[in-house]
Amino acid sequence: KMPASIPEAESRHRASAAFSLSFLSLVFSITAFSSSYWCEGTRKVAKPFCKGDSKGELCIRFNSPEGNSSQAVQYIWETGDDKFVEKKFHAGIWYSCEEMINEEGEKCRSFISLTPASDRGVLWLSIVAELLYVVLLLIGNILMSVEICYYSSVIDGLKINAFSAVVTVLAGLLGMVAHMMYTTVFQMTVNLGPEDWRPHTWDYGWSYGLAWTSFACCMASAVTTINKYTKTILEFKHKRKKLERSFRIQYKFPDY
């Protein structure tokens, strides 16, 4: 009697779980990589001069109706912190945006141009690592989908399974390094970046959390894939031992 192998349904369930986690990781990584909400915060800037009928909430008021005239004596009512206003900003790998005062919309500029020259090499390494992370996740997804739809040979399926596990683990390591390098570059930019950009308060945004969620899904997919490969190999070894034992018993000659 042939020993029972891993149930086909259980094996397919494991493969589908690994593919689902890898696909989620790919979607999350692309979304985070293309967004500009890795970090969010506020900048403290001086209020502009009020013009026309502008109210004094977000601009500096004068006590003279001829305040715009260079020959008139201008008395500013606001003093201390009243002369400043906080503008919200958000930054990502590619660009940084901040809201306009007394106007709708945002003003965006390249984050690479804001980074100190000494740290731009690290930022480019982070960008390259992020791109490789996305590419390897895509390759892993393709391999896992081929494995799910591949029926002709169990051995070939195991080879694809092993290769997809290696690719997914490598992708996860690259993603972790890329996220950590960007974190370092952003903190250096906060301290050494241009004066007209440095934030007053800041924290990590939803894209940053999504990037690390992508990493977690990637590693969970790799663990699931390796677990499936290991269990299948162990089942084959157990099956072979059972067959060898049954053959020895079947072809054993009696002693005279």
Side-chain angles (χ1 to χ4, degrees), residues 21 23 28 32 65 75 98 121 127-128 142 157 168 212 229 235 240:
L21 288 168
F23 182 75
F28 290 164
Y75 297 95
E98 61 184 47
I127 292 174
V128 171
I142 294 173
T168 308
W212 282 108
Y229 176 83
E235 177 66 17
R240 187 178 63 180

Side-chain angles (χ1 to χ4, degrees), residues 59-93:
C59 59
I60 297 177
R61 296 170 294 173
F62 300 100
N63 68 335
S64 169
E66 299 179 355
N68 292 328
S69 173
S70 60
Q71 298 178 352
V73 179
Q74 301 174 359
Y75 297 95
I76 300 174
W77 292 107
E78 284 82 355
T79 58
D81 288 340
D82 291 335
K83 294 197 304 182
F84 297 93
V85 63
E86 290 188 346
K87 295 197 303 182
K88 294 180 180 180
F89 86 97
H90 54 90
I93 293 178

Side-chain angles (χ1 to χ4, degrees), residues 43-51 54-60 83-88 98-107:
R43 288 191 58 240
K44 194 174 184 179
V45 297
K47 295 179 181 178
F49 295 140
C50 294
K51 296 180 180 180
S54 299
K55 296 182 179 180
E57 296 179 358
L58 297 177
C59 59
I60 297 177
K83 294 197 304 182
F84 297 93
V85 63
E86 290 188 346
K87 295 197 303 182
K88 294 180 180 180
E98 61 184 47
E99 63 180 350
M100 305 285 287
I101 300 179
N102 294 322
E103 294 181 23
E104 295 183 358
E106 295 180 328
K107 178 183 177 182

